[in-house]
């Protein structure tokens, strides 16, 4: 078991490079199922545990997978006969594995998939996924912890989503690429990762139009083939480093960050007095010694992303006054605040909103990540805190961040990742001193 140890109080300065997007690459990995000929090669692939888990799931389906983490590239060959069963041992560990359902149904006419797992940040029902696939002609049953769908052939349909679900949009879009006729998805998700998936599908021979808007139109084709595709940069990782720079009154250039994809965050940082400079190679963040309070409301894209909510609450707690964070997407995404209370955070929960009282003088403590983005928030709090912070339960961080502690160390943070069993006799101060010598 490992933990991250941070000695806070050091400004972040320098340059940091953003990896490929976790939320883009996972559905694109699933899209490789649709290629009955040729190979699909992805580049700019982040080396994350979720990516590895999706690769294992695809291998179980009889897809040949060649992952080169040093080159950040993965190649898929799905030209063989595929299995249509996605077992519990893979699906239970990762919510995103649900997106194999649409392409597997379209390719094989049958899919049996375990109910998905992932971070416990709230209810994420699969109703919209199933509603869309039923409208395409699938017969679906749920029993014994599995979802089973069957269709001799899928037929294009007009599908209205009650909520702009990213996963449902992806599943329906991929299934519709091989359906007979035209499919329209109305009130669909508009995230940049949806556009990245659509661009991949079109390179594979699909006819997808309107991705990035509220209505996507898909003209079905007879088959898809492999292609080469470069995955977009991770806007959530970029936002995490932007917030970390602001929280430490730092001066950081986030290489590869696209201002178009972080407009809500940029607007809020500027409201708080942070200087944001949009450059050709990324985004530069220049902190301020006095952060102003701000009110934030999460929403589907192009609103403020829920995946940056925990990190942003740390910055709001550092502000000189009272801020609010209204979480409208996931009802259990304030669990990190209870951990931050150990570090001196002062707040109340009022319905879907957190009222955050600053300025907080964070003090180092031992805390535990409750989900992926909560882990990032605790690390940011540790960077701004007085004393030593120890963050446990790193399995969540590994799902979405590649070498986070190393990147922060290169920016000037006193931070290390240690094996608890190997260092059980050392004090936190000794651990930091040891890591700085190493």
């Amino acid at each position: 078991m490992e933990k991250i140890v941070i000695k806070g109080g050091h400004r972040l300065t320098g340059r940091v490079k953003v990896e490929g997007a976790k939320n883009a690459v996972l559905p694109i990995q699933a899209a490789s199922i649709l290629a009955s000929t040729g190979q699909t090669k992805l580049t700019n692939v982040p080396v994350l545990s979720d990516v590895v888990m999706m690769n294992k799931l695809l291998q179980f389906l009889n897809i040949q997978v060649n992952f080169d983490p040093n080159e950040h590239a993965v190649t898929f060959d799905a030209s063989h006969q595929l299995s249509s069963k996605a077992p519990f041992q893979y699906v239970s560990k990762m919510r995103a594995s649900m997106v194999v359902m649409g392409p597997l149904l379209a390719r094989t006419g049958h899919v049996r998939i375990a109910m998905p797992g992932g971070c416990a940040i709230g209810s994420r029902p699969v109703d919209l996924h199933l509603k869309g696939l039923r409208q395409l002609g699938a017969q679906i049953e749920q029993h014994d912890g599995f979802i089973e769908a069957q269709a001799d052939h899928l037929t294009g349909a007009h599908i209205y989503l009650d909520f702009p679900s990213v996963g449902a949009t992806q599943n329906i879009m991929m299934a519709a690429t091989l359906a007979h006729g035209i499919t329209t998805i109305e009130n669909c998700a508009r995230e940049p990762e949806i556009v990245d998936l659509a661009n991949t599908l079109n390179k594979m021979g699909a006819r997808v139009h309107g991705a990035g808007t509220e209505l996507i139109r898909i003209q079905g084709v007879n088959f898809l083939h492999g292609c080469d595709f470069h995955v977009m940069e991770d806007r959530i990782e970029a936002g995490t480093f932007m917030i970390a720079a602001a929280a430490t009154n730092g001066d950081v250039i986030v290489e590869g960050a696209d201002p178009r994809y972080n407009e809500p965050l940029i607007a809020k940082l500027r409201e708080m007095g942070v200087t944001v400079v949009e450059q050709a190679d990324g985004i530069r963040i220049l902190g301020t010694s006095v952060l102003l309070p701000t009110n934030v409301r999460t929403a589907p894209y192009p609103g403020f992303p829920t995946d940056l909510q925990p990190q942003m609450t740390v910055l709001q707690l550092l502000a000189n006054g009272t801020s609010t964070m209204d979480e409208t997407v996931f009802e259990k995404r304030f669990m990190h605040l209870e951990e931050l209370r150990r570090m001196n955070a002062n707040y109340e929960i009022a319905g879907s909103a957190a009222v955050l009282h600053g300025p907080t003088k964070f003090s180092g403590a031992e805390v535990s990540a409750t989900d992926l983005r909560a882990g990032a928030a605790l690390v940011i709090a540790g960077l701004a805190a007085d004393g030593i912070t120890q963050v446990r339960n790193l399995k969540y961080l590994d799902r979405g961040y590649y070498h986070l502690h190393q990147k922060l160390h290169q920016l000037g943070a006193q931070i290390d990742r240690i094996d608890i069993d190997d260092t059980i006799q050392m004090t936190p101060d000794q651990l930091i001193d040891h890591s700085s010598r190493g």
Side-chain angles (χ1 to χ4, degrees):
M1 186 179 296
E2 293 180 305
K3 64 182 176 182
I4 284 177
V5 183
I6 308 159
K7 187 174 184 179
H10 298 272
R11 292 181 73 225
L12 298 184
T13 59
R15 306 175 73 94
V16 62
K17 187 179 183 304
V18 176
E19 306 293 325
K22 165 188 178 286
N23 291 338
V25 73
L26 296 174
I28 294 174
Q29 287 173 275
S32 69
I33 294 169
L34 294 163
S36 54
T37 64
Q39 294 186 338
T40 301
K41 182 177 181 180
L42 306 181
T43 53
N44 199 35
V45 175
V47 184
L48 304 171
S49 60
D50 272 12
V51 171
V52 173
M53 188 58 62
M54 181 66 83
N55 284 343
K56 290 180 178 179
L57 172 56
L58 295 175
Q59 286 176 314
F60 184 89
L61 298 175
N62 200 35
I63 295 174
Q64 292 182 3
V65 180
N66 183 14
F67 184 31
D68 186 344
N70 294 323
E71 295 295 326
H72 292 258
V74 60
T75 302
F76 304 96
D77 185 343
S79 60
H80 311 285
Q81 183 174 353
L82 303 183
S83 169
S84 58
K85 298 180 180 179
F88 178 82
Q89 67 190 90
Y90 300 122
V91 180
S92 64
K93 295 182 174 66
M94 184 177 60
R95 181 75 187 186
S97 57
M98 187 69 187
V99 294
V100 305
M101 188 174 186
L104 204 54
L105 177 64
R107 174 75 189 276
T108 70
H110 176 255
V111 59
R112 187 173 189 266
I113 184 169
M115 291 294 290
C119 289
I121 56 176
S123 174
R124 292 191 278 185
V126 299
D127 300 10
L128 295 180
H129 300 246
L130 305 187
K131 172 187 173 183
L133 295 177
R134 282 193 175 102
Q135 288 182 259
L136 292 176
Q139 296 180 335
I140 301 176
E141 296 180 356
Q142 292 178 255
H143 52 81
D144 302 323
F146 282 85
I147 300 170
E148 191 157 9
Q150 188 162 342
D152 292 334
H153 63 270
L154 298 175
T155 303
H158 182 90
I159 299 166
Y160 179 86
L161 295 181
D162 298 325
F163 178 82
S165 162
V166 173
T169 300
Q170 292 165 337
N171 246 332
I172 298 165
M173 182 166 61
M174 285 189 280
T177 60
L178 297 181
H180 298 309
I182 296 173
T183 299
T184 57
I185 312 172
E186 190 176 353
N187 194 36
C188 58
R190 299 161 58 187
E191 272 75 359
E193 294 81 8
I194 296 289
V195 178
D196 226 34
L197 175 60
N199 289 339
T200 307
L201 292 171
N202 287 338
K203 288 195 73 174
M204 296 171 71
R207 298 176 181 175
V208 180
H209 307 278
T213 73
E214 295 179 352
L215 190 144
I216 294 176
R217 181 176 178 273
I218 305 109
Q219 171 69 59
V221 298
N222 292 328
F223 71 94
L224 296 182
H225 52 75
C227 72
D228 292 351
F229 192 80
H230 185 84
V231 178
M232 66 176 285
E233 276 68 33
D234 196 320
R235 63 191 174 100
I236 304 302
E237 184 193 15
T240 300
F241 281 114
M242 291 163 65
I243 294 170
T248 62
N249 191 14
D251 180 358
V252 173
I253 296 172
V254 185
E255 294 182 20
D258 191 327
R260 295 174 300 171
Y261 301 150
N262 274 306
E263 287 181 354
L265 174 60
I266 290 171
K268 290 301 176 182
L269 290 177
R270 286 174 172 161
E271 281 184 25
M272 299 182 79
V274 177
T275 300
V276 182
V277 181
E278 300 176 11
Q279 303 183 169
D281 60 346
I283 300 173
R284 183 179 182 183
I285 300 297
L286 295 136
T288 176
S289 58
V290 180
L291 288 163
L292 303 176
T294 188
N295 299 325
V296 181
R297 183 177 187 269
T298 66
Y301 190 87
F304 193 95
T306 181
D307 279 354
L308 286 177
Q309 179 259 98
Q311 303 92 305
M312 190 64 182
T313 58
V314 175
L315 199 62
Q316 291 174 291
L317 284 164
L318 290 168
N320 190 24
T322 298
S323 300
T324 61
M325 174 62 78
D326 190 5
E327 173 57 63
T328 71
V329 181
F330 294 125
E331 71 274 13
K332 294 182 181 178
R333 205 154 205 176
F334 286 139
M335 292 187 291
H336 67 285
L337 291 177
E338 194 61 34
E339 294 299 303
L340 288 175
R341 198 189 293 277
R342 302 174 189 269
M343 300 179 68
N344 206 33
N346 181 13
Y347 68 92
E348 300 97 32
I349 304 294
S352 65
V355 182
L356 308 158
H357 303 291
T360 303
K361 190 177 178 65
F362 284 116
S363 57
E366 187 162 355
V367 290
S368 181
T370 53
D371 62 73
L372 167 54
R373 307 305 173 182
L378 297 176
V379 170
I380 293 172
L383 295 173
D386 290 333
I388 302 292
T389 299
Q390 301 178 63
V391 182
R392 293 176 178 260
N393 216 7
L394 302 185
K395 64 180 181 181
Y396 293 115
L397 270 177
D398 292 339
R399 294 185 55 222
Y401 295 97
Y402 176 67
H403 286 174
L404 178 64
H405 70 289
Q406 294 179 10
K407 290 184 175 184
L408 291 171
H409 179 73
Q410 290 169 0
L411 293 174
Q414 288 202 20
I415 183 171
D416 197 18
R417 179 168 175 153
I418 63 168
D419 189 290
I420 297 173
D421 295 331
D422 288 348
T423 55
I424 198 68
Q425 302 301 322
M426 300 177 70
T427 68
D429 283 307
Q430 288 173 323
L431 292 171
I432 290 290
D433 292 340
H434 176 74
S435 67
S436 64
R437 289 196 302 270

